[in-house]
């Protein structure tokens, strides 16, 4: 498990080539504003030959095109090819086919190690955009190196943080609707490299990554009752947290420093929010109300917690200090609000909204203003943020006895709604931080 | 709260894990055999299936049988949308359950709370727990010893009916009382 992560530590990031200027020229996409036309780019197959050079080239292009912000120009339209990685760029040939960005690269293979080099050019201003970079690692991490290249290109052009080199923990579902078998699994953000974490012998729900991505919190019926567990992905060891007889624990999430877990504890039919220090085992009750308090999520600075409560009659979203105390309601619209999740950028809260028989994924400012619903379906729920806070992934379930859950992603602008490939029915995604 | 001794409780837990399919006494279920009933429980895998005996449900005409409890007394009560308040019919069924349990002290019970699919996963877990607790409180008020009762919520994870219409949702918003033979003595 996470062997790729270990080798990933060996992924070297280094500068090479001449001096280039990080410039903010015309080659720029503003994600939050209306993009009418995806930005056309050319990506000649990286030199160096071999299947892996072609695979890496195609994956970089797929990452970029998959955002909906970029459009790949087919190689059949190319006027010139890139003779060698270090050859001067024939800008006019790329201008002529309206390529605004040009990505060139080279793959060096030595035994089971590869080095991927790339450069990004702003065709219309006739200059490199940022320095050339190279990534090195073992051949089996080629997908990660491709994601790293695509992340660099995406970040330089959009000014946003990267997110392609990341993973998603989720629940894979099989079997009929009244007897679903659920297994925890991890995959790359694009659905590749799925690895199962549990066998399916116990019902498992809602996994969530630790801030470093090396531990996963989840809820399991292993004991016959819902309880929260902590899985260490390095050694696959699992331990139960806060096992109190006669209680149910669920909805766990880590604090940003990874030391504290915030979760719901139910006793006598009433659910409240608690924190648990994972080192000392000390438990602290943050809410004390006869209503349902659940779905807690820390702000990225660790100082506040957003959660849902039906204390007003129907579920709404509230924010309180990380130490508990007075909570202020931030959701104001009609309908039920659930599963609030603080953006890793700190600027927004994503949520599930149920209104007039439909479910929506939405975002709002942390004070509840500027609510926008991004999706609408029979059943959408449980958004999770991409590491850059610009894309959400969530569960969409279809109706009826043969209904099946699937993972979808959508930009916070509401654009680029698409299904994420998974190994069968899937639910409860949680997006990892960017891999190191 | 006092609970059963741990070892005993573990038996009860394994028991519920093994026979927790709420449909096991469903239509024509009186003849619940190993295949149709327990074997169908995919959620708990082989471990649970292997640990279950196939006897003991008995004849629904035998007032001392589990089948009688689930079918004649009624093992489940229903709730309105997003509610955990007992209605008259629910109280009546629970009163019958309490009466039966009070005269059959050899059984402990697990009350399972469930929700329909029109809610988010974790909210529904909390809602299911509320429903199970409502049933539990009423059973206690009718003289069933608290030490004989445990609750569990399945949220929307184990629907009794799988269509996406109110006719199914109404069946899924439920609390089901599951007998634990030999665990409450």
């Amino acid at each position: 498990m996470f062997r790729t992560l270990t080798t990933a530590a060996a992924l070297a990031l280094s500068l090479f080539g001449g001096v280039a200027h990080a410039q903010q020229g015309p080659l720029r996409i503003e994600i939050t504003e209306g993009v009418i036309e995806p930005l056309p780019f050319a990506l000649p197959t990286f030199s160096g030959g071999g299947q892996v050079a072609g695979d890496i080239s195609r994956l970089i292009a797929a990452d970029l095109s998959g955002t909906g912000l970029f459009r790949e120009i087919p190689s059949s339209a190319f006027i010139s090819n890139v003779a060698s990685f270090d050859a001067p760029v024939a800008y006019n040939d790329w201008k002529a086919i309206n390529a605004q960005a040009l990505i060139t690269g080279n793959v060096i293979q030595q035994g089971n190690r590869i080095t991927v080099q790339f450069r990004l050019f702003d065709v219309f201003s006739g200059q490199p955009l940022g320095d050339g970079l190279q990534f090195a690692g073992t051949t089996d991490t080629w997908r990660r190196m491709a994601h790293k290249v695509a992340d660099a290109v995406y970040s330089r052009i959009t000014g946003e943080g990267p997110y392609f080199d990341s993973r998603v923990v989720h629940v894979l579902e099989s079997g009929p609707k009244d007897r679903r078998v659920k297994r925890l699994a991890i995959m790359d953000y694009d659905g590749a490299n799925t690895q199962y974490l549990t066998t399916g012998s116990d019902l498992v729900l809602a996994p969530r990554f630790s801030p470093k991505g090396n531990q996963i919190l989840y809820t399991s019926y292993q004991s016959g009752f819902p309880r929260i567990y902590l899985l260490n992905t390095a050694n696959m060891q699992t331990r139960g947290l806060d096992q109190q007889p006669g209680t149910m624990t669920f909805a766990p999430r880590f604090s940003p420093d990874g030391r504290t877990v915030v979760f719901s504890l139910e006793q006598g039919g009433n659910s409240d929010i608690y924190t648990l220090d994972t080192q000392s085992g000390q438990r602290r009750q943050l809410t004390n109300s006869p209503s349902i308090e659940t779905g807690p999520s820390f702000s990225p600075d660790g100082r506040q917690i957003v959660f849902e409560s039906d204390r007003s009659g129907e579920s709404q979203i509230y924010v309180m200090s990380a130490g508990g105390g007075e909570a202020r309601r931030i959701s104001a619209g009609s309908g039920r609000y659930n599963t609030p999740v603080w953006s890793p950028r700190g600027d927004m809260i994503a949520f599930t909204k149920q209104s007039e028989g439909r479910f929506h994924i939405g975002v709002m400012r942390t004070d509840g203003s500027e609510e926008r619903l991004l999706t609408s379906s029979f059943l959408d729920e449980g958004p999770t943020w991409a590491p850059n806070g610009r894309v959400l992934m969530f569960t969409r379930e279809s109706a009826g006895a043969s209904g099946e859950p699937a993972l979808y992603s959508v930009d916070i602008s509401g654009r680029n709604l698409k299904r994420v490939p998974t190994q069968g029915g899937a639910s409860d995604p949680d997006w990892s931080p960017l891999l190191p | 709260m006092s609970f059963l001794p741990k070892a005993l409780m573990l038996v009860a837990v394994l028991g519920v894990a093994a026979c927790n399919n709420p449909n096991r006494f469903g239509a024509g279920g009186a003849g619940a055999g190993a295949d149709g009933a327990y074997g169908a429980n995919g959620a708990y895998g082989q471990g649970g299936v292997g640990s279950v005996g196939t006897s003991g449900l008995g004849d629904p005409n035998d007032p001392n049988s589990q089948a009688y409890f689930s079918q004649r007394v009624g093992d489940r009560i229903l709730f309105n949308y997003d509610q955990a308040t007992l209605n008259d019919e629910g109280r009546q069924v629970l009163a019958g359950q309490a009466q039966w349990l009070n005269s059959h002290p050899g059984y402990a019970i697990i009350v399972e709370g469930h929700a329909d699919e029109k809610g988010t996963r974790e909210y529904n877990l909390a809602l299911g727990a509320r429903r199970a607790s409502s049933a539990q409180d009423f059973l206690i008020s009718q003289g069933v010893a608290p030490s004989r009762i445990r609750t569990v919520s399945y949220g929307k994870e184990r629907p009794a009916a799988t269509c996406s219409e109110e006719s199914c949702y109404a069946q899924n918003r439920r609390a089901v009382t599951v007998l634990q033979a030999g665990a409450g003595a």
Side-chain angles (χ1 to χ4, degrees), chain A residues 177-366:
Chain A
K177 192 171 176 179
D178 56 350
R179 295 191 300 274
R180 283 271 204 265
V181 175
K182 296 195 172 194
R183 301 176 69 179
L184 295 188
I186 294 192
M187 63 182 188
D188 295 352
Y189 99 100
D190 59 0
N193 290 325
T194 298
Q195 294 162 290
Y196 288 94
L197 302 179
T198 63
T199 62
S201 58
D202 304 306
L203 182 59
V204 290
L205 308 172
R208 275 100 191 227
F209 276 113
S210 64
K212 288 183 179 157
N214 58 341
Q215 292 179 301
I216 293 166
L217 287 164
Y218 63 103
T219 302
S220 170
Y221 284 70
Q222 186 179 321
S223 69
F225 299 87
R227 298 253 165 79
I228 56 176
Y229 292 82
L230 182 58
L231 171 70
N232 182 330
T233 55
N235 59 16
M236 293 300 285
Q237 295 293 304
T238 298
R239 72 179 169 107
L241 297 177
D242 206 74
Q243 307 273 7
Q244 309 278 331
T247 67
M248 163 173 90
T249 50
F250 60 108
R253 278 187 202 277
F254 275 101
S255 61
D257 65 6
R259 188 183 163 113
T260 304
V261 173
V262 65
F263 62 101
S264 279
L265 183 146
E266 176 271 338
Q267 194 160 24
N270 180 39
S271 299
D272 272 306
I273 292 171
Y274 290 72
T275 52
L276 181 75
D277 185 311
T278 55
Q279 281 149 49
S280 71
Q282 192 181 6
R283 189 172 77 179
R284 183 169 175 186
Q285 182 169 1
L286 301 190
T287 65
N288 188 356
S289 161
S291 46
I292 290 174
E293 275 72 38
T294 189
S297 168
F298 275 96
S299 62
D301 65 5
R303 297 170 65 167
Q304 297 179 88
I305 291 171
V306 64
F307 64 100
E308 61 175 81
S309 167
D310 69 351
R311 59 186 64 172
S312 72
E314 289 183 344
S315 285
Q316 297 287 337
I317 298 175
Y318 294 78
V319 173
M320 65 180 168
S321 153
E326 197 74 11
R328 66 180 189 280
R329 175 172 159 180
I330 63 165
S331 57
S334 63
R336 290 171 165 78
Y337 292 80
N338 300 90
T339 74
V341 198
W342 217 299
S343 158
R345 293 167 58 119
D347 56 344
M348 279 190 271
I349 287 165
F351 56 85
T352 306
K353 181 173 183 175
Q354 192 181 352
S355 178
E356 293 171 0
R358 304 275 292 175
F359 281 76
H360 312 269
I361 301 299
V363 291
M364 58 174 63
R365 294 276 164 201
T366 58

Side-chain angles (χ1 to χ4, degrees), chain A residues 360-376:
Chain A
H360 312 269
I361 301 299
V363 291
M364 58 174 63
R365 294 276 164 201
T366 58
D367 62 1
S369 65
E370 296 180 41
E371 174 180 321
R372 283 182 292 127
L373 300 183
L374 309 177
T375 73
S376 176

Side-chain angles (χ1 to χ4, degrees), chain B:
Chain B
M1 288 247 275
S2 66
F3 286 102
L4 298 170
K6 262 185 189 157
L8 205 54
M9 210 53 243
L10 184 61
V11 172
V13 167
L14 291 174
V16 86
C19 57
N20 151 297
N21 179 353
N23 277 333
R24 66 200 179 287
F25 301 129
D35 284 344
Y38 298 127
N41 188 346
Y44 294 94
Q46 309 86 335
V49 172
S51 67
V52 172
T54 57
S55 62
L57 295 184
D59 180 346
N61 294 316
D62 171 5
N64 296 317
S65 70
Q66 293 190 34
Y68 181 90
F69 178 83
S70 62
Q71 292 173 42
R72 300 293 166 82
V73 175
D75 66 351
R76 64 196 57 203
I77 59 170
L78 304 180
F79 296 88
N80 288 334
Y81 174 68
D82 201 16
Q83 295 297 315
T85 312
L86 302 175
N87 56 28
D88 287 345
E89 193 183 340
R91 275 189 288 268
Q92 208 173 345
V93 171
L94 289 171
Q97 289 183 5
Q99 199 175 17
W100 192 93
L101 289 165
N102 287 337
S103 58
H104 295 83
Y107 289 94
I109 56 168
I110 295 203
V111 182
E112 301 176 351
H114 297 267
D116 68 32
E117 68 188 352
K118 298 299 271 184
T120 50
R121 195 175 315 287
E122 289 170 341
Y123 180 82
N124 276 350
L125 275 184
L127 179 59
R130 246 185 199 168
R131 287 174 175 159
S133 184
S134 289
Q136 178 187 36
D137 289 349
F138 191 83
L139 291 170
I140 291 169
S141 77
Q142 299 293 299
V144 181
S147 60
R148 295 172 68 191
I149 311 175
R150 292 204 71 175
T151 60
V152 62
S153 175
Y154 283 93
K156 60 177 173 178
E157 305 305 315
R158 288 289 177 265
T162 57
C163 74
S164 293
E165 286 148 34
E166 178 53 29
S167 62
C168 288
Y169 295 159
Q171 298 174 61
N172 293 336
R173 298 188 295 259
R174 69 201 192 276
V176 183
T177 303
V178 180
L179 296 174
Q180 302 296 299

